[in-house]
Amino acid sequence: MTKKYLEGNQYNPDIYRSDLDHWQEGDYTVYRTTQWTAPGCHDGCGILAYVNKEGKLEKIEGDPANGYSRGALCMRCLDIVEAMYSEDRLKYPMKRAYEDRGKDKWERISWDEAFDLIEEKVRYFQETYGSGSIVVQQGTGRNTTFFHSTALCYVGFNSPSDTGGFLSGSSCYGPRASVMALMAGCFIISDMSQALPERFDSPDYVLPECILIWGNSPLVSNPDGFLGHWIVEAMKRGSELVVVDPRLTWLAAKAKYWLPLRPATDAALAMAIANVIDEEDLIDHEFIDCWSYGYDAFIEGCRTMSVEQAADICCLEAEDIRAAARFIGSAKPCSLQWGLKLDQQVSATPAGQAIMGIVGMTGNIDVPGGNLLMVDHAFNLALSTGSNWRFVPEDQRKMILGNNRYPMHAQGDVGNMAQEDVVLETLESDGKLNDVGKDFPLKMFVLYSTNPISNMATEAPRIYDAMVNHSEFNVDINYVLTPSAMAYCELVLPIAMGPERNSLRAWWWPLRVIRKASDRYYECKTDEELVAELCNRLNPDSPIPNNDIDWMNQILSESNTDLTFEELTKEVIVWPDWHYKKYETGEVRYDGQPGFNTYTGRFEFTPVLFQQFNLPLVPYYEEPRESPVSTPELAEQYPLILMTGRRSWEFFHSEHRNLETMREFHPDPIVEIAAELAEEQGIQDGDWVWIENHRGRCRQRAKITPGLNPRYVMAEHGWWFPEEDRERLYGVFDSNINNLTTQSNIGQSGYGAPYNGLLCKIYKCTEANSEVLPTEQVTEKGGWSYERNHLDF
Ligand SMILES: Nc1nc2c(c(=O)[nH]1)N[C@H]1C(S)=C(S)[C@@H](COP(=O)(O)OP(=O)(O)OC[C@H]3O[C@@H](n4cnc5c(=O)[nH]c(N)nc54)[C@H](O)[C@@H]3O)O[C@H]1N2
Ligand SMILES: Nc1nc2c(c(=O)[nH]1)N[C@H]1C(S)=C(S)[C@@H](COP(=O)(O)OP(=O)(O)OC[C@H]3O[C@@H](n4cnc5c(=O)[nH]c(N)nc54)[C@H](O)[C@@H]3O)O[C@H]1N2
Ligand SMILES: [Mo]
């Protein structure tokens, strides 16, 4: 079946549509289902799960009858069997004493004992410090990020303190999501025909003439409801690319225009591109006149950035910017696929605003092959339940850390989370410094699919200090024992993986079922079971049913589909009805009127609420706060511009490091450098090098990389070494690029932090300069001394 599918190179739903949700193949029962997490992923591809007579998963294949992923799978998904039965997987709940933080002194306990312990601690902290002292930290776009962590926090703990794992500046999607919410009233996403079951061959679909890929590497990252290989399918059919990326990615190498800008200068480039499009009258007058607000002010603001100035700031040629802008403006349609690197800078909000402006001014909102509106929640499903916000009592709503200081943070679908830098300073000050106006001590943290010191947080040594010294009782809900849990948790709860759970994939269209295919591993519970049970145990008035299936049915019953969970299991995947230009037909606004779900009901080039938030109304450019321009003296010492965290095929953040297959492909951390820099520093390809700045250092292996500016380097994030000693925290700081990054150094809006675009230097590791490794430096010698940034309360 798969072979025929590939040979045809054309998707034929009649041949590959399957009416079955499971069948028998020899000794295997084969289930059609969706894989989301665990292990981590942003997407939800269709899989065939081959389960043997003993209930064990033996094999995974792509499901060719799934119109979303069409049989394709990435290497991590194909390797799920190894992940599920790895020796590193947690089997039982385990606890350890507060005094034993950092020590491998775990004791196996039962679920009942674990829940009793949680109940005892929750009651104590609620009564002694208030329920806000219990914090739930979520990681990125996994199952848990949707209804689980907020349910546990709001319903189980009655706390408003749901937040990221110290994700500085909420720098993943938050900046773009809030700008989209303010300008368009909901998310937009590149139209690769994913809203249409017939996909590219649908008569309603128009192929983009231009795909604008900005700060995103979709082939590797497949982020946020988007599969990168859709772009390759579009390219095969004739789409051309503009790629804005300092690195020569595979897509950049095939682009009509590649703009390798200086890291973190995107706002300047976007303003200049908007200028050219306006000057050359490539704008969509009808959309601007009839459906938008604030265009004149917006473009006036962009005019303060001439193409020549932008070229100078971004280290590009003015003529290249003009040519790319002309193509973006004249291509019909043009589709934007943007990414994380826009969020990871202090100019995240203005950069996002300017780029959204480009999509609006060129008339590419909700047109075929442009950028879709309202596909983020199939059947409004996660929209009605995703945030569980309705369960937060009125008096708690003002108690969300960071929303007073950064009111924009409260905007949009992902806007109810406590702001991470404010959470950190509240923790560090034992509750004294915050923006809520009263003592707010933070005592108990639940790490709910996050591993902050390996990965999510910037300034990892600072997070380590803060958590070890200021929190009292912490729980990790996970499938492996992570460095964060080893460093500062008292309880770990073993969690089931994707093929073991009953759940829903509702974030982004279409709606997909996640159904239990194989038996649970040892005593693991699914996140759905765990949250449902814990909410009911802790809160007698829990509006959440106390088992997974009833909960899923409750969520489905509140959406606008009639399907029950059982029916959805049979369907596997369902597309809601779809048509373009929904803002004309009143399907975007909550009140059913035509227009956008914004303050003015129009597409807001200059968001009206910016004024209320004390933010500039028009896009502006802020030079990175550490750069050869803003800190020339520091740049003499640290002359290189550090980019971090471009995604790898083998890993999802700090996950997958324990899997032999992935490590065979990718054994060590890699820092990409140019040949000129290698020569200058006497570095050979594959040498271990120190990457260092005034905040700290870490070591990775140099990879000489063509097409890279000799002054830019790209280091990997998320590294720990599961093969190493647990009590050395698996060497978590040795190769940790977040020894060099900074907290409390964020954009004016509270969004955007420089995970990317800082200064550093690189030199070869020698025995003499490697006597004290970073893990010992941090855990035994108090880290490095440098001046920390602080928010000013
Ligand atoms: N395999 C895998 N997939 C993942 C993840 C993972 O860990 N592994 N993580 C998931 C998560 S949470 C996210 S947020 C997404 C992120 O995924 P993406 O949005 O694709 O982000 P990155 O891969 O970090 O960077 C994208 C590109 O931006 C370029 N870049 C670097 N600096 C700049 C800059 O200053 N400006 C511009 N314009 N470009 C720059 C990089 O060279 C890189 O090619 O991936 C998700 N998918
Ligand atoms: N320097 C630098 N740092 C970065 C980035 C960068 O580009 N550069 N990227 C940043 C970004 S965009 C993000 S989003 C963060 C991501 O940061 P995190 O989301 O914190 O990612 P992980 O460190 O992998 O931690 C996730 C944990 O959840 C567990 N897990 C996986 N699936 C499940 C599940 O279904 N249920 C439960 N209960 N647990 C699960 C995993 O085992 C893992 O330990 O990292 C950020 N950190
Ligand atoms: Mo992310």
Side-chain angles (χ1 to χ4, degrees):
M1 187 143 99
T2 310
K3 187 160 174 282
K4 211 155 126 203
Y5 167 70
L6 289 175
E7 271 173 8
N9 196 26
Q10 284 281 317
Y11 179 68
N12 181 345
D14 293 333
I15 298 178
Y16 303 108
R17 180 169 293 145
S18 171
D19 292 332
L20 298 174
D21 68 302
H22 71 283
W23 59 82
Q24 209 59 34
E25 232 176 89
D27 281 348
Y28 294 120
T29 310
V30 184
Y31 295 95
R32 292 181 63 218
T33 175
T34 308
Q35 170 61 20
W36 185 0
T37 68
C41 178
H42 261 194
D43 234 298
C45 294
I47 58 167
L48 303 178
Y50 287 72
V51 177
N52 70 18
K53 281 183 179 155
E54 285 75 50
K56 258 184 105 172
L57 183 77
E58 280 207 8
K59 186 169 78 158
I60 290 272
E61 282 202 5
D63 176 5
N66 181 300
Y68 183 82
S69 51
R70 299 175 155 199
L73 288 184
C74 75
M75 66 191 292
R76 298 185 312 283
C77 203
L78 288 166
D79 198 38
I80 279 176
V81 176
E82 185 183 0
M84 289 214 357
Y85 304 109
S86 143
E87 260 312 299
D88 296 307
R89 233 186 121 175
L90 294 171
K91 297 182 171 122
Y92 316 103
M94 298 191 298
K95 72 170 184 183
R96 162 180 88 175
Y98 171 85
E99 296 71 37
D100 290 331
R101 285 186 174 181
K103 306 233 171 69
D104 197 11
K105 291 196 174 172
W106 298 97
E107 176 197 340
R108 176 180 167 184
I109 55 173
S110 70
W111 276 102
D112 253 352
E113 286 170 284
F115 281 5
D116 282 347
L117 182 59
I118 292 177
E119 192 167 358
E120 176 201 324
K121 294 291 180 183
V122 165
R123 298 286 173 250
Y124 169 75
F125 292 126
Q126 280 173 335
E127 279 155 29
T128 319
Y129 302 100
S131 40
S133 65
I134 306 168
V135 180
V136 180
Q137 291 185 313
Q138 43 168 292
T140 187
R142 303 184 179 85
N143 270 80
T144 47
T145 333
F146 290 80
F147 26 94
H148 311 73
S149 79
T150 47
L152 186 58
C153 189
Y154 303 154
V155 177
F157 303 146
N158 190 31
S159 163
S161 304
D162 180 79
T163 180
F166 299 114
L167 181 75
S168 184
S170 309
S171 304
C172 171
Y173 218 38
R176 279 172 296 146
S178 52
V179 160
M180 288 189 276
L182 287 167
M183 295 176 76
C186 63
F187 290 0
I188 64 162
I189 194 165
S190 170
D191 182 11
M192 291 288 134
S193 72
Q194 65 271 43
L196 304 162
E198 301 84 11
R199 300 297 311 263
F200 289 99
D201 305 319
S202 162
D204 293 337
Y205 186 64
V206 177
L207 192 73
E209 188 179 343
C210 169
I211 307 174
L212 171 57
I213 300 174
W214 200 318
N216 181 236
S217 176
L219 295 185
V220 190
S221 59
N222 303 300
D224 308 306
F226 193 88
L227 290 177
H229 64 262
W230 295 341
I231 290 186
V232 182
E233 292 199 37
M235 288 163 75
K236 284 195 221 158
R237 290 165 163 85
S239 296
E240 294 194 281
L241 311 182
V242 173
V243 175
V244 185
D245 192 319
R247 292 168 54 248
L248 183 61
T249 60
W250 188 90
L251 290 173
K254 301 199 162 28
K256 187 176 172 93
Y257 298 101
W258 170 41
L259 299 175
L261 81 178
R262 172 162 69 99
T265 61
D266 299 83
L269 178 62
M271 289 164 72
I273 288 177
N275 273 334
V276 176
I277 293 172
D278 180 73
E279 255 167 41
E280 306 201 359
D281 197 21
L282 301 172
I283 57 178
D284 185 325
H285 290 276
E286 195 198 324
F287 181 80
I288 292 171
D289 293 346
C290 303
W291 296 102
S292 84
Y293 167 87
Y295 182 71
D296 291 345
F298 168 83
I299 206 67
E300 201 60 43
C302 291
R303 282 194 196 120
T304 59
M305 178 64 65
S306 71
V307 174
E308 279 65 31
Q309 236 179 318
D312 194 41
I313 291 171
C314 306
C315 304
L316 295 169
E317 298 297 326
E319 262 331 292
D320 294 342
I321 299 178
R322 282 209 176 81
R326 261 175 222 132
F327 181 52
I328 293 165
S330 53
K332 290 287 170 262
C334 174
S335 187
L336 168 73
Q337 171 56 26
W338 57 355
L340 171 69
K341 288 303 180 259
L342 290 163
D343 302 329
Q344 294 182 326
Q345 44 185 302
V346 292
S347 293
T349 298
Q353 182 190 3
I355 297 171
M356 274 294 280
I358 293 170
V359 180
M361 70 199 280
T362 52
N364 282 301
I365 297 283
D366 221 21
V367 298
N371 282 82
L372 300 174
L373 281 179
M374 292 295 281
V375 286
D376 38 344
H377 300 101
F379 299 103
N380 268 359
L381 206 120
L383 195 65
S384 54
T385 55
S387 69
N388 289 311
W389 183 237
R390 66 212 155 116
F391 301 137
V392 181
E394 204 52 49
D395 61 326
Q396 298 259 5
R397 294 190 174 197
K398 292 199 167 53
M399 301 297 284
I400 296 189
L401 288 167
N403 280 3
N404 288 316
R405 186 190 164 101
Y406 301 109
M408 182 166 162
H409 208 266
Q411 288 306 302
D413 205 23
V414 291
N416 300 323
M417 288 161 72
Q419 205 283 345
E420 292 84 348
D421 302 84
V422 177
V423 172
L424 174 63
E425 301 217 11
T426 307
L427 172 68
E428 287 177 330
S429 64
D430 295 318
K432 301 282 176 298
L433 296 180
N434 61 61
D435 65 339
V436 178
K438 62 171 213 169
D439 250 24
F440 205 117
L442 302 177
K443 294 293 179 184
M444 168 171 165
F445 284 71
V446 175
L447 278 58
Y448 207 173
S449 77
T450 183
N451 179 5
I453 60 168
S454 309
N455 186 46
M456 194 175 219
T458 39
E459 228 173 300
R462 178 172 172 186
I463 303 300
Y464 170 80
D465 278 355
M467 284 301 289
V468 169
N469 297 315
H470 296 273
S471 66
E472 282 186 21
F473 176 77
N474 304 315
V475 184
D476 190 20
I477 305 175
N478 212 316
Y479 65 91
V480 288
L481 191 62
T482 68
S484 301
M486 268 309 294
Y488 53 70
C489 288
E490 277 63 44
L491 182 65
V492 291
L493 302 178
I495 210 73
M497 293 181 119
E500 299 167 323
R501 66 158 104 214
N502 289 309
S503 193
L504 298 168
R505 173 75 207 199
W507 199 46
W508 307 102
W509 289 31
L511 175 60
R512 286 149 277 174
V513 77
I514 296 168
R515 65 105 60 104
K516 180 178 175 294
S518 64
D519 288 350
R520 307 271 150 76
Y521 185 72
Y522 290 82
E523 289 187 10
C524 293
K525 275 187 199 292
T526 71
D527 291 300
E528 290 74 18
E529 293 166 338
L530 181 142
V531 172
E533 288 173 30
L534 209 45
C535 282
N536 281 278
R537 184 190 259 251
L538 295 170
N539 179 350
D541 302 322
S542 169
I544 290 170
N546 72 357
N547 73 71
D548 53 350
I549 306 278
D550 287 351
W551 192 13
M552 297 310 110
N553 274 322
Q554 181 192 57
I555 291 170
L556 283 166
S557 72
E558 289 168 350
S559 71
N560 51 25
T561 161
D562 296 332
L563 291 170
T564 63
F565 188 75
E566 198 186 339
E567 288 161 348
L568 180 63
T569 304
K570 299 241 173 314
E571 296 282 330
V572 185
I573 174 168
V574 268
W575 268 266
D577 281 339
W578 172 259
H579 67 90
Y580 291 97
K581 293 208 175 175
K582 284 178 293 301
Y583 56 87
E584 291 183 351
T585 47
E587 289 159 275
V588 178
R589 290 178 60 84
Y590 293 140
D591 64 9
Q593 295 297 310
F596 290 83
N597 210 21
T598 57
Y599 190 82
T600 57
R602 291 164 175 263
F603 179 90
E604 295 189 5
F605 282 99
T606 54
V608 172
L609 289 173
F610 272 8
Q611 196 161 9
Q612 203 171 312
F613 302 156
N614 277 327
L615 294 174
L617 286 179
V618 296
Y620 62 94
Y621 169 69
E622 182 182 343
E623 174 67 21
R625 292 172 194 166
E626 269 175 40
S627 83
V629 180
S630 50
T631 53
E633 277 167 27
L634 198 64
E636 267 175 39
Q637 239 180 315
Y638 304 108
L640 305 175
I641 299 182
L642 173 66
M643 300 182 278
T644 77
R646 65 102 185 86
R647 275 44 182 154
S648 315
W649 307 99
E650 299 84 358
F651 309 122
F652 195 81
H653 294 294
S654 75
E655 291 183 71
H656 300 96
R657 297 300 187 299
N658 61 324
L659 304 181
E660 252 173 57
T661 309
M662 298 300 139
R663 293 294 287 283
E664 194 183 327
F665 282 94
H666 197 147
D668 304 307
I670 289 170
V671 54
E672 296 173 1
I673 65 173
E676 294 90 329
L677 176 64
E679 201 182 320
E680 197 182 293
Q681 293 293 324
I683 296 168
Q684 307 283 317
D685 193 59
D687 280 350
W688 283 97
V689 296
W690 287 111
I691 313 164
E692 178 176 319
N693 68 14
H694 55 300
R695 279 178 292 271
R697 66 173 188 168
C698 75
R699 60 177 185 187
Q700 304 198 353
R701 270 185 198 268
K703 180 174 176 190
I704 296 176
T705 306
L708 192 61
N709 183 312
R711 300 262 71 85
Y712 308 163
V713 303
M714 170 59 91
E716 288 183 347
H717 76 306
W719 275 89
W720 58 296
F721 303 91
E723 64 275 20
E724 275 216 29
D725 183 2
R726 283 182 179 178
E727 295 197 350
R728 252 196 105 231
L729 305 183
Y730 308 95
V732 66
F733 296 106
D734 293 345
S735 295
N736 194 335
I737 200 61
N738 288 335
N739 294 343
L740 285 79
T741 53
T742 150
Q743 284 266 358
S744 313
N745 184 20
I746 57 181
Q748 254 191 83
S749 58
Y751 280 117
Y755 279 79
N756 203 57
L758 292 162
L759 295 174
C760 74
K761 67 177 179 186
I762 282 192
Y763 54 96
K764 230 172 125 150
C765 295
T766 62
E767 231 169 86
N769 70 23
S770 305
E771 258 170 35
V772 181
L773 293 181
T775 298
E776 281 66 37
Q777 186 67 39
V778 173
T779 59
E780 292 170 12
K781 296 178 186 293
W784 295 275
S785 63
Y786 59 91
E787 214 171 297
R788 287 176 174 173
N789 289 294
H790 283 287
L791 302 172
D792 157 35
F793 287 102

